[in-house]
Amino acid sequence: MKTSKTLCQLLLFTFLCTTQLYASLPSDKKIRLTQQWEFIRQDMGSPWEVMRPAQPGKPESVPLWQKVTLPHCFNAEDATNPDVNYYQGAGWYRTTLDINNPYANGKTYLEFEGAGQKTEVYVYTTLVAKHVGGYDEWKADITDAVARIKTNSVLMKRFSGKIPITIRCDNGRDTQTIPSDMSDFNLYGGLYRYVNLVYVPAWHMDAIRIDSQTDEKGRNGEVTITVLPEDSKAKDEAKVSVRIFSPEGKEVFSSPLNNKESNGYTVNFDLKKPQLWSPEKPSLYTCKVQAVYHADTLTATQRFGFRHFRFEEQGPFYLNGKRYLLRGTHRHEDHAGVGAALTEEMMQCEMRQIKEMGANFIRLGHYQQSRIILDLCDELGLLVWEEIPWCRGGLGNPTYKEQARRMLTNMITQHRNHPSVILWGLGNENDWPGDFETFNKDSIRSFMSELNELAHQLDSSRCTVIRRCDFCKDIVDVYSPSIWAGWYSNKFTDYRQKTEQGIQSVPHFLHAEWGGDSHPGRHTENRKMLEEVVAGDRNGDWSESYIVRLFDWHLKEQEQMPQLTGSLFWTFKDFSTPLRPRNPIPYVNQKGVVQRDGTPKESYYVFQSYWSDKPMVHIYGHSQPIRWGTTEELKEVLVYSNCPEVELFVNGVSQGIRKRDSQDFPAAGLRWQVKLKEGENQLKAIARKGKQQLTDEINQEYQTQRWGTPAQIRLTQVTTNDAIGKKTLIRAELLDANGVRCLDAADFVRFGCTESSALLQNQGTAHGSQLIQMANGRAEICVKPMQIPVIVSVRDEAGKLTPAFIRVKKKKREEINIH
C-alpha cells in the first residue's frame, strides 16, 4: 500500500524541521583535523575518565591510549584477522584543539564527514552532539561549550590554552539500526572519514542548493540557486551574491541574491548552449557565493553540471539524447590495512583505476559514501547510483524507520548538487529475513513506498532504484533483479536469456551484481573443464582461468543487446566481510577485479579490453608463473587487447597475427595454441593500432613432471620490486615425496614468525594473510624489511605435514621478479 501524498508531505516537513540535513558547511575557513589524536578501543566510564590526568601507579589509571592519525578505523586489521571476530563495541578518541574563531560572535563547528556507527561528541565533559548512522555527514555546534571552557582558568591552564575534545564511537550490534549485521560487509567503527574544524560568522550559509536542467536537445540551461541560511529567522539580512564560471573559468553570470524567500535566497537564470556533462567530457561549472554580514565576509564554492537522461521503457538508457550503454562496477569503503579509513589520496588512486578500466558508471554500495568520492565521480565522469544502508534483515521498529528516513533525506540533500548522480537507491536485498521474529512483506512494501515518495519529494529530477526484492519491484522507477549466471545459479552462457527475461519483467531494468570469486594466482590447465565452461555445463572453481571467461562471455553478449540499459559487475575491489570466514582468504569477499590493496587481478584487463578507449594489451598469466602439461601438448595463450590486431611470440618465434573480433569467444579471437618447452619460456605480445604499437611480456616456467600426494613444504626467500618498492617475500610450496611441485594443491597454510609484527598480515590480500589457501600449490607472505633478520615458519592447517622454517636474511643483490 502506497503512502498518501499528504502523509509524505507531512513526513518531509518533519524531516526538514528536525533533521540536520546539510553538514558540509559552506566556509573558506575549514581545518582538516588529522594529527594529535589519541584512541582507546574499549568503553570508558565517562568523558571525565577520558580526560582525567594520568596517575601512574594508581589502579584507576588507564595508560592504554595510542596515538593515531585521522581518518582512523578501529577495525583496520581485525576485520580480516582469521582468528578473531572483528571488534564491535565502543572506542574513544581525544585531542586538544587551538580554537580561535576569527569572526566576532561567530560560530564554531566540528564537521564529521562520516563516523561509525553511533557517535557522541563532548567538549571536555559537556555532551554537545549525538548522531546515529555511519555514513551521512553531520556537524556539532561547539560554540557555547568552547566559550565556557575559555572562562575556566583552571582548565585552560591544565590544557595549555587548548580545548579538550572527546568523541565516543560505537559499532556494537543493534538490530534496530541500519545496516543489518547480516549484511555481507563489516559495520566499521571509528572516525573513519575526515573531521573538520569550521569557523563561520554569526550569519552564515547552511547550504548552497543548485538545480540545473536542460531541454532534450541541450540548447538551453535553466539554473536555480538557493542559499539557505543557518538561521532563517535572523533579524538582520546579509548581502548575498553569486558568480558562475564556465568549465574553462570564464565568468558567465553574476547577480546579487536580494529576493530572500522563506526557504532562503534564490536566483534563477538561463544559460544558452551550456556545456553538457558526460563521462567522456565531464564539464563542471563553478558557483561562487559571497555573503557579507556587517564586517564579516564569507565565501563558498560549489560545482554543478548540465545533463539529462532517461530510461526507455523496457529499453536502453539515454544520456544527453543518445543511447548509452552503462558500463559499471561497485565500490565498498574498504582497503587493506586501514578498513574504512581511506585517505583522500587512496580514494583518488582507486577511482582513477576504475576510470582507467573504462567504466562510466558506479554503484556506491551499500551506503552513502564520502563526498570526496562524489567529487571524483563528477571530475572523472562516472555516473552514480548511491543508496542508503537498508540492507537485509527485515524491517525494525519506529526508531529503525526514522533512521532510514533520515539517512535517505541526508543523502539526497547532501549530494544532490553532483551531476554524476542519477539514481537514489532505497534498499538492497530487502527480501532477506533474519533480524526479527517476524518478516512481513506487506510492511516492507509499505515502507518502501514511503521512502520512494519521500525521495521524489526531495528530488524529482532523479530516479529511485532497488536491487533484489521482487515483491517491491513495482514501487521504484528502476529495478535490478538477482542474476548471477555462472556463479550462484545457472550457467554463464544463460546470461543473455536471463537478462532479456529481466528486461521484460519491469518497465525499467538495470542489471546490478554479477560475476564471481577468484583467488589471486589460482589457475587451471584442465582443458576439459574449460571446454565444459564454454559449453555452459559447470560453474566456477575460484580460479582466475574461469572468472576471465565468465566476464568475457558477459561483456561480449552485452555488445549485442540493444535493449540493455547496462550492467554493474560485483565488485571492483575485494573487501572484508564477517560472513565468509572460510574463503581462500578468510573474511574476504574475493569478487573484485583488484585485490584489497588495489593490485589488479587478471580479470581487470578483460574489462579494460572491452571498455577502455586507451590502447592496451595484456597477456593472460602474469599471476601464473608456472604452467604444466605434457611435452607435446598444445597450450592455450589468451591475450586481452582493444587493438585491432595482436602478434604473439613464444621464445622469440612468431605464432602469427590474430584479428580482434569481440564476438569470437574467448579473448575476442586473440588466442593461440602453442607448444611450450620444459623450463623457462618467454611470451611477448605486440598489439597494433594504426601506427601505434604496444608490447606486453611475461616469463612462464613449464613443468611436465607429474606429481603425487603432497608430502612436504618448501620455503624460499625471494625479492621483488613493484610500484611501492622492494619487497621480501617468503614463498611456501607443496612438494610430493620426490620433490615435485604439486601444482593443483589448495591446502590452507598458516605462516608464523619469531617476531609477530614482522609479517604483513591481516591485510586480506594474497601477500598479506597469515592464513591462506594455496593457489596452485603456492602461498606467499611479505616480511617487513625493518624486521629482518627473523625466522618464518609455515604449517598446513590440517596438520598432516611437518612444519617448515626459514631464516630470513637481508639480501642486497637478489632481484627475482615475482608475479
Side-chain angles (χ1 to χ4, degrees), residues 35-49:
Q35 305 298 320
Q36 307 301 318
W37 289 88
E38 291 184 309
F39 167 72
I40 188 167
R41 195 172 80 165
Q42 66 177 58
D43 211 349
M44 301 291 284
S46 68
W48 154 246
E49 185 182 33

Side-chain angles (χ1 to χ4, degrees), residues 43 51 72 115 150 154 177 187 238 316 342 362 568 582 629 633 638 652 656 672 710 751 788 799 808:
D43 211 349
M51 282 297 179
H72 175 264
K150 287 191 171 185
V154 174
T177 61
L187 277 61
L342 282 79
I362 189 168
L568 305 92
R582 295 302 297 175
E633 182 180 356
L638 304 179
W672 291 258
F751 291 94
I788 298 173
V808 184

Side-chain angles (χ1 to χ4, degrees), residues 399-414:
T399 301
Y400 179 107
K401 295 178 182 179
E402 191 274 337
Q403 183 195 351
R405 297 186 195 103
R406 183 180 67 251
M407 295 189 80
L408 177 62
T409 304
N410 286 353
M411 178 179 71
I412 293 176
T413 54
Q414 291 169 8

Side-chain angles (χ1 to χ4, degrees), residues 59-94:
E60 67 270 18
S61 180
V62 184
L64 302 176
W65 293 84
Q66 59 176 303
K67 296 184 183 300
V68 298
T69 299
L70 299 189
H72 175 264
C73 174
F74 53 74
N75 304 111
E77 289 198 16
D78 68 357
T80 49
N81 186 327
D83 303 316
V84 301
N85 294 320
Y86 83 104
Y87 178 78
Q88 290 186 273
W92 288 78
Y93 296 85
R94 67 185 184 188

Side-chain angles (χ1 to χ4, degrees), residues 408-436:
L408 177 62
T409 304
N410 286 353
M411 178 179 71
I412 293 176
T413 54
Q414 291 169 8
H415 287 173
R416 62 172 297 142
N417 288 354
H418 294 280
S420 54
V421 179
I422 60 172
L423 292 169
W424 298 124
L426 308 183
N428 176 69
E429 297 180 351
N430 300 105
D431 59 353
W432 197 306
D435 276 340
F436 308 103

Side-chain angles (χ1 to χ4, degrees), residues 1-21:
M1 179 178 179
K2 291 194 175 183
T3 309
S4 69
K5 183 176 181 180
T6 302
L7 176 57
C8 189
Q9 290 173 335
L10 178 61
L11 289 169
L12 176 60
F13 176 77
T14 301
F15 275 109
L16 294 175
C17 292
T18 63
T19 304
Q20 190 179 65
L21 304 182

Side-chain angles (χ1 to χ4, degrees), residues 496-506:
R496 186 165 183 168
Q497 175 192 359
K498 296 297 181 183
T499 300
E500 288 176 344
Q501 291 173 357
I503 292 172
Q504 297 302 314
S505 67
V506 289

Side-chain angles (χ1 to χ4, degrees), residues 131 152 287 357 406 427 431 486 539-540 571 623 703 741 761 803:
H131 184 78
N152 189 322
C287 170
M357 183 180 64
R406 183 180 67 251
D431 59 353
N539 289 338
T571 179
S623 61
Q703 176 177 316
R741 289 171 298 204
Q761 53 191 349

